[in-house]
Amino acid sequence: FDKMRTEKSLPKTSQVTAPQWEEAFREELEGGADEILCFTMSSAASGTCQSANIAKNEVLADFPDADITIVDSMALSFTYGLAITKVAPMVNEGKSGSEIIEEYNRIMSKMVYFFLVEDLEYLKKGGRINLATLTLANIMDIKLMDLMVVSSI
């Protein structure tokens, strides 16, 4: 975080593109996968889910019988990763996509997620808030808070 305060350029993030998803889906289907279950970052924060759906439609043109399900995780960061870590072993247990999605939703229903941003400047630089919001928040000394609570998953 200290480096972010002193560097002029900030680290950038980029969503997975439709061609990248398409390549991954085709590789799995050509390798013999009967079902593809793809969990993406929240569509509210990233275009990753949209990219995956575009790729799915492209792949279905060549593999019309493919079973590809895109799941908008409606989560980010630790909550997303924790839930995926919990359901991933279900694949090796032979559970169906619908069973995995059901368990994912059960886990997510037990989580409440908040976080705290010390300085809103980085949200502005990253395009998450506009200058007016930043200015108003600074004038009113508003901090963005977020905290994750996990209850018996």
Side-chain angles (χ1 to χ4, degrees):
F1 290 107
D2 289 335
K3 189 173 182 179
M4 287 178 61
R5 289 185 179 103
T6 59
E7 294 292 319
K8 290 189 182 208
S9 64
L10 295 176
K12 302 288 183 197
T13 61
S14 178
Q15 71 188 38
V16 179
T17 65
Q20 290 170 319
W21 282 121
E22 186 176 343
E23 180 182 342
F25 295 161
R26 287 181 187 282
E27 185 177 308
E28 290 302 317
L29 292 169
E30 289 165 358
D34 338 342
E35 182 177 19
I36 295 175
L37 185 55
C38 173
F39 288 85
T40 69
M41 294 173 56
S42 174
S43 63
S46 171
T48 303
C49 187
Q50 180 182 9
S51 294
N53 276 301
I54 290 168
K56 171 187 171 179
N57 292 333
E58 289 295 319
V59 170
L60 288 176
D62 294 332
F63 295 88
D65 297 329
D67 184 1
I68 304 172
T69 304
I70 309 298
V71 180
D72 182 347
S73 71
M74 298 306 294
L76 297 169
S77 192
F78 184 78
T79 53
Y80 173 50
L82 178 62
I84 294 300
T85 300
K86 294 289 187 183
V87 300
M90 296 175 71
V91 173
N92 292 332
E93 295 167 7
K95 302 292 183 183
S96 69
S98 60
E99 290 173 303
I100 294 169
I101 293 168
E102 183 179 325
E103 178 63 6
Y104 175 85
N105 290 333
R106 186 195 70 76
I107 291 168
M108 291 303 293
S109 73
K110 303 283 186 185
M111 290 194 206
V112 178
Y113 186 78
F114 303 91
F115 64 88
L116 177 62
V117 177
E118 179 182 344
D119 187 344
L120 298 179
E121 180 66 31
Y122 301 107
L123 293 177
K124 161 66 175 77
K125 288 180 179 180
R128 298 294 178 196
I129 63 173
N130 62 33
L131 181 58
T133 302
L134 174 64
T135 303
L136 184 61
N138 285 339
I139 290 169
M140 298 178 73
D141 196 28
I142 294 173
K143 303 288 185 204
L144 180 61
M145 185 185 84
D146 198 356
L147 163 70
M148 187 186 80
V149 177
V150 180
S151 62
S152 62
I153 57 172

